[in-house]
Amino acid sequence: MQKKIMARTVPSNSMLTDVAPVLARIYAARGVLDNAQLDYSLKHLFRPSQLKGIEQALTLLLAARAKQQRILIVGDFDADGATSTTVAVRCLRALGFNSVDYLVPNRFEYGYGLTPEIVTVAKQFEPDLLITVDNGISSIEGVAAAQAAGMKVLVTDHHLPGAQPPSADAIVNPNQQGCEFPTKNCAGVGVIFYVLSALRAAMQSEYYSQKPAPNFAQFLDLVSLGTVADVVPLDHNNRIFVQQGLLRMRAGLACEGIKAIAKVAGREITKLRASDLGFMVGPRLNAAGRLDDMSLGIRCLLTDDPAEALALASELDALNKERRAIEGSMQADAAVILEALNHNNEDEALSGVCLYQSDWHQGVIGILASRVKDKLHRPTIVFADDSESILKGSGRSVAGIHLRDVLDEVAAKNPGMLTKFGGHAMAAGLSLEKHHLLNFQKSFNEVVAQKAGQEGLTPVLFTDGALTSEDFNLPLAEALENAGPWGQAFPEPTFSGEFILVNQRIVGQKHLKLVLALPQNPQQTMDAISFNVDVSVWPNDTCHRVLVVYKLQVNEFNGRRNVQLLIDYIEAL
């Protein structure tokens, strides 16, 4: 699909000093206009005292500590949920809570969140206090069931609330109505870290009279991983979390589980970057929740035994390989369905895409939705069977189209159609009865079309403009690499430009290796690579000039470091 390429707008009021001009331009385009926004020391984190509900949460936790009550953490089955659960367990145990257990719903048996069914399982632990992490804000029936069973309930979450909050004894969620916390972008792991940091501060005097208070900085590796893996916007606060966690990992101070997962992923812990957390570590952790049970991933993150961590990480790696194979098969199925959709809708392009096949794996539909969304630049929902009569859907959206708002409007126009739904602007989940699928597809397409218009569905690649011939050098590539952490809403720098195509060949079956030259200086050539190209299009022997969007990358091979262009998009001219 041909894409529109636009340079990011660069404000003219940047006050950055001691920063290379190219880097200053990049930062300014991301809203960083002064050096304070590049200071990632912990003292600049927002304080938990501004979180609505924090006092009520502390009252519950301090009472539980004083009475040595039993606490049960109920998590979620993704990487944010796993790291949130691990942080909760590790922090509470470090603070002297003697009875802390955890429970993560198996997605295939219980679905998402604190449901009445999972409360029935929770009763076996006989908890006095139940704490949700990365879920609970929509669990109205589940919270009521837990309270009816005699449990106090503390909800910690970051998802968008519905019209009615649950009747929990305390709720901490920066996105709940009336919360004045300065950022709404915390992942679930960030929220529970804030709550327990506030608890540590409240217990400080007790610790000072007996022993040194535990240093919660030791848990920032987990906060960093969960924040990146959940793809929340990397505002200044989240960049502090991520950078501080990465620094600990590179210093060899990560928990044994993260070290082991990085090892099986083939990543050197001392050189780990945010992108490695998102594309290598996170997916292996997520594989447990997608195909099996996330308790496997949590056990890996909780253990302090290197041998046990490596054994569990190897299991996660095997599950990730299995997930990839399943995903590949589902992508092939989706291609056939999309071809039929295109044939049946030749006169009217779909604005919102819905796909379903009865044998698709429920744990992988979110990844498939993301792949289709990337390919078509359309909000996409993929469904799988949850039971004989119920479908479970996972959706991904494109910039400018708020997916949860779309589902909200579909539900309002079709009362009773959606059994439940929830999520964010870019990702959401839902359930509906199978006989509603065709009507849902029609309504979803109509609402997306109304909200987007044609312009909103035109794929746009935003870049940081062109580089001059002097910019293609190793020091700049290294500076860009080290200038992060890059991630969601704070994208890694990309550039665009036209090049002379000197040489092209396929390597590794589907990767295009190139030698490019600058039109203004044909003698200046550089290596480039584009992964997973369409081999029916490339190599193209009739093509002599190309338009590319690329990253300036440091390539290491046999101990040598040189500049390489990592191509995100290539178009023959």
Side-chain angles (χ1 to χ4, degrees):
M1 177 183 290
Q2 199 167 61
K3 300 183 180 181
K4 184 178 180 181
I5 298 171
M6 294 180 62
R8 293 185 176 93
T9 302
V10 181
S12 58
N13 57 336
S14 175
M15 303 291 288
L16 287 167
T17 58
D18 302 320
V19 175
V22 173
L23 203 47
R25 183 180 91 209
I26 289 165
Y27 280 138
R30 288 154 182 75
V32 174
L33 303 176
D34 61 65
N35 291 71
Q37 294 169 280
L38 298 174
D39 187 343
Y40 298 143
S41 54
L42 288 172
K43 64 183 179 182
H44 294 296
L45 278 175
F46 294 128
R47 300 301 161 199
S49 57
Q50 291 174 273
L51 282 162
K52 181 181 178 181
I54 193 70
E55 293 302 325
Q56 295 93 320
L58 293 181
T59 298
L60 289 173
L61 289 162
L62 289 169
R65 174 73 162 76
K67 299 174 184 177
Q68 286 299 300
Q69 292 179 337
R70 290 183 293 272
I71 294 178
L72 180 66
I73 312 298
V74 176
D76 185 19
F77 39 66
D78 65 1
D80 187 16
T83 52
S84 299
T85 302
T86 306
V87 164
V89 172
R90 282 188 174 273
C91 286
L92 287 169
R93 288 177 179 172
L95 289 171
F97 288 76
N98 294 325
S99 180
V100 183
D101 291 302
Y102 66 89
L103 172 64
V104 178
N106 183 299
R107 78 161 76 214
F108 309 109
E109 292 182 54
Y110 300 105
Y112 168 78
L114 182 67
T115 60
E117 292 77 15
I118 205 67
V119 169
T120 300
V121 180
K123 289 178 186 177
Q124 300 171 18
F125 294 85
E126 300 182 345
D128 302 292
L129 174 61
L130 187 152
I131 304 173
T132 70
V133 292
D134 192 33
N135 76 96
I137 197 64
S138 301
S139 302
I140 295 170
E141 294 178 355
V143 168
Q147 291 173 321
M151 307 173 203
K152 296 286 188 181
V153 180
L154 164 58
V155 167
T156 74
D157 202 351
H158 70 121
H159 294 95
L160 298 174
Q164 178 186 351
S167 61
D169 298 274
I171 299 175
V172 181
N173 180 343
N175 284 300
Q176 68 177 307
Q177 188 173 2
C179 184
E180 297 180 357
F181 196 64
T183 176
K184 306 299 181 185
N185 295 325
C186 280
V189 70
V191 176
I192 190 61
F193 181 79
Y194 267 124
V195 170
L196 297 177
S197 295
L199 177 62
R200 176 192 177 278
M203 294 175 59
Q204 191 92 319
S205 59
E206 176 188 339
Y207 267 98
Y208 277 142
S209 65
Q210 298 177 16
K211 57 183 178 180
N215 182 0
F216 276 14
Q218 66 184 297
F219 306 122
L220 287 171
D221 56 341
L222 294 161
V223 180
S224 178
L225 172 57
T227 298
V228 173
D230 210 47
V231 204
V232 293
L234 292 193
D235 59 13
H236 186 218
N237 205 67
N238 278 338
R239 294 201 303 277
I240 295 173
F241 275 143
V242 173
Q243 183 67 2
Q244 289 292 329
L246 284 170
L247 290 174
R248 292 191 65 81
M249 295 179 208
R250 294 171 193 158
L253 299 175
C255 67
E256 295 299 333
I258 289 179
K259 288 179 185 176
I261 297 172
K263 184 173 182 178
V264 299
R267 288 296 182 270
E268 193 174 333
I269 195 79
T270 58
K271 297 180 180 179
L272 220 59
R273 302 193 176 279
S275 57
D276 295 319
L277 299 183
F279 295 109
M280 305 303 295
V281 180
R284 283 165 173 78
L285 193 56
N286 273 325
R290 292 189 186 283
L291 301 189
D292 191 7
D293 190 322
M294 186 46 95
S295 59
L296 175 68
I298 295 169
R299 280 163 44 213
C300 184
L301 296 178
L302 278 175
T303 184
D304 293 320
D305 181 347
E308 182 183 14
L310 189 59
L312 291 168
S314 297
E315 288 187 53
L316 293 173
D317 190 53
L319 284 172
N320 194 50
K321 289 186 173 79
E322 182 183 348
R323 186 271 302 167
R324 281 166 147 177
I326 293 169
E327 180 194 338
S329 174
M330 287 169 61
Q331 283 197 54
D333 294 337
V336 174
I337 297 171
L338 287 168
E339 182 66 31
L341 282 175
N342 290 335
H343 179 75
N344 294 333
N345 295 275
E346 288 181 349
D347 299 328
E348 185 178 344
L350 288 172
S351 297
V353 177
C354 293
L355 303 176
Y356 162 69
Q357 188 161 297
S358 61
D359 62 348
W360 279 350
H361 196 294
Q362 190 186 122
V364 186
I365 54 176
I367 299 178
L368 181 59
S370 184
R371 299 285 189 259
V372 174
K373 178 267 297 182
D374 288 343
K375 181 176 182 179
L376 302 181
H377 195 75
R378 296 288 188 274
T380 300
I381 296 179
V382 176
F383 289 94
D385 285 336
D386 192 35
S387 67
E388 285 189 10
S389 61
I390 300 294
L391 297 180
K392 179 162 287 187
S394 184
R396 300 293 184 271
S397 193
V398 298
I401 302 176
H402 195 298
L403 190 54
R404 190 190 179 282
D405 286 356
V406 169
L407 294 179
D408 204 20
E409 192 165 328
V410 170
K413 290 182 175 182
N414 303 273
M417 177 184 283
L418 302 188
T419 309
K420 55 185 176 181
F421 68 93
H424 300 293
M426 303 301 287
L430 68 153
S431 296
L432 53 77
E433 293 181 15
K434 194 176 292 188
H435 66 86
H436 284 313
L437 179 60
L438 290 178
N439 285 335
F440 174 82
Q441 289 174 322
K442 183 174 182 293
S443 185
F444 179 71
N445 183 55
E446 289 173 353
V447 173
V448 170
Q450 290 165 5
K451 287 186 176 293
Q454 194 52 47
E455 190 66 25
L457 296 175
T458 301
V460 177
L461 280 178
F462 287 96
T463 80
D464 294 290
L467 292 177
T468 67
S469 59
E470 291 78 18
D471 291 328
F472 293 94
N473 60 73
L474 195 57
L476 179 60
E478 290 173 335
L480 294 173
E481 196 174 69
N482 294 324
W486 308 110
Q488 180 69 14
F490 200 75
E492 188 173 353
T494 57
F495 308 95
S496 57
E498 294 183 12
F499 293 87
I500 299 169
L501 183 50
V502 178
N503 190 279
Q504 53 181 320
R505 60 190 173 93
I506 293 292
V507 296
Q509 296 186 321
K510 54 183 179 179
H511 310 315
L512 184 65
K513 187 76 173 172
L514 305 160
V515 177
L516 303 176
L518 294 171
Q520 63 270 36
N521 183 9
Q523 304 306 312
Q524 185 178 355
T525 62
M526 58 212 73
D527 293 332
I529 190 164
S530 181
F531 291 109
N532 300 313
V533 298
D534 185 344
V535 292
S536 68
V537 176
W538 298 98
N540 182 349
D541 294 331
T542 65
C543 175
H544 303 291
R545 288 172 75 96
V546 289
L547 170 65
V548 297
V549 174
Y550 62 92
K551 297 180 179 75
L552 197 64
Q553 187 184 59
V554 178
N555 183 43
E556 288 191 43
F557 185 71
N558 288 338
R560 297 182 62 186
R561 294 164 60 85
N562 52 50
V563 172
Q564 175 179 265
L565 307 190
L566 177 61
I567 295 176
D568 291 337
Y569 174 73
I570 182 168
E571 181 183 321
L573 296 176

